[in-house]
Amino acid sequence: WAFATAGVDSPRLFGAISRAVSSRNLHEFDAQHLANIAWAFACVDWTADPEVFVALAEASEARMSSMTDEHRSQLYLVVLHARLEWPDLSHALSRRVDTLRAAYDRFGPQSPSQFHCDVASTLDELGWTHVDEYVTAEGLALDVARPATKRAFEVDGPAHYLRDVSSSRQYVEKGATQFKSRLLRRLGWTVVRVPFFEWDL
């Protein structure tokens, strides 16, 4: 989970976890661990073995009654990832999509920040008409969007980034931000990200 959160894809690590998942009784794991593991695999775009998602989905579905909205929200993104990657994949969470989507929706858009308002106002001045806080049919929120053409801007404040002390780059996108971008691309959206540290230059 920590690797995925930091946006670090480690094939050897996830391959080892994948093999362990396939050989262990996942019903021994609690709800939080199951949701975190499933989200981590989806976040790093793990596609080597769809059976990992099948196993995690089955164990997660069995723990659904003890899951919080946060866990269910994570699993909604896992289900969306699986649907886009393997449209014909059968798994236990497919019968829980409405429950997972409802939890995800409760974590919906917050009040727009001043940064968001500044970017939206600038786009208005440039004649780029748009919808603020648009939500796609799949439930993904976009800060500023033109739904008809599937083009959008995402206004990314500090919460979307980690400080990178190992290279010349000052900031790197968090795994969750990368994950959302990838889902939107696969859904046909063209998204331009506006980082706070570039807007303030």
Side-chain angles (χ1 to χ4, degrees):
W1 176 86
F3 274 69
T5 298
V8 177
D9 179 13
S10 175
R12 290 183 62 185
L13 172 64
F14 282 91
I17 296 173
S18 173
R19 291 188 292 275
V21 164
S22 301
S23 63
R24 292 190 61 174
N25 180 3
L26 291 179
H27 295 284
E28 297 173 357
F29 287 72
D30 65 22
Q32 179 179 349
H33 289 140
L34 289 168
N36 284 350
I37 294 169
W39 178 86
F41 271 96
C43 185
V44 301
D45 200 19
W46 181 262
T47 58
D49 182 9
E51 292 307 312
V52 170
F53 289 96
V54 173
L56 288 166
E58 181 181 355
S60 297
E61 199 277 335
R63 292 280 190 181
M64 193 60 60
S65 62
S66 60
M67 287 195 172
T68 66
D69 274 354
E70 183 177 5
H71 302 147
R72 294 176 182 184
S73 181
Q74 286 180 299
L75 290 175
Y76 175 70
L77 294 177
V78 173
V79 169
L80 183 55
H81 163 80
R83 192 185 84 196
L84 293 170
E85 192 63 41
W86 307 289
D88 299 322
L89 185 68
S90 177
H91 58 83
L93 288 177
S94 59
R95 56 180 174 268
R96 296 281 197 162
V97 173
D98 290 344
T99 298
L100 302 178
R101 170 66 186 271
Y104 184 77
D105 287 346
R106 286 192 283 273
F107 279 84
Q110 306 298 312
S111 298
S113 66
Q114 185 59 52
F115 177 29
H116 175 143
C117 294
D118 289 346
V119 173
S121 177
T122 299
L123 291 172
D124 282 333
E125 292 173 7
L126 294 171
W128 203 81
T129 56
H130 58 267
V131 178
D132 276 327
E133 299 291 355
Y134 179 75
V135 179
T136 71
E138 298 78 17
L140 301 178
L142 288 159
D143 292 329
V144 181
R146 276 184 170 175
T149 58
K150 284 196 166 184
R151 296 182 181 275
F153 287 85
E154 283 279 79
V155 182
D156 293 344
H160 290 270
Y161 296 91
L162 296 170
R163 295 295 295 269
D164 185 356
V165 297
S166 66
S167 74
S168 60
R169 294 182 300 168
Q170 187 175 12
Y171 297 98
V172 292
E173 287 183 350
K174 286 183 176 179
T177 300
Q178 296 177 35
F179 186 16
K180 181 181 177 184
S181 293
R182 191 177 68 249
L183 291 174
L184 287 166
R185 284 196 302 272
R186 290 184 179 174
L187 290 167
W189 284 86
T190 299
V191 179
V192 175
R193 310 205 76 89
V194 183
F196 75 98
F197 51 87
E198 292 184 359
W199 184 260
D200 291 337
L201 292 177

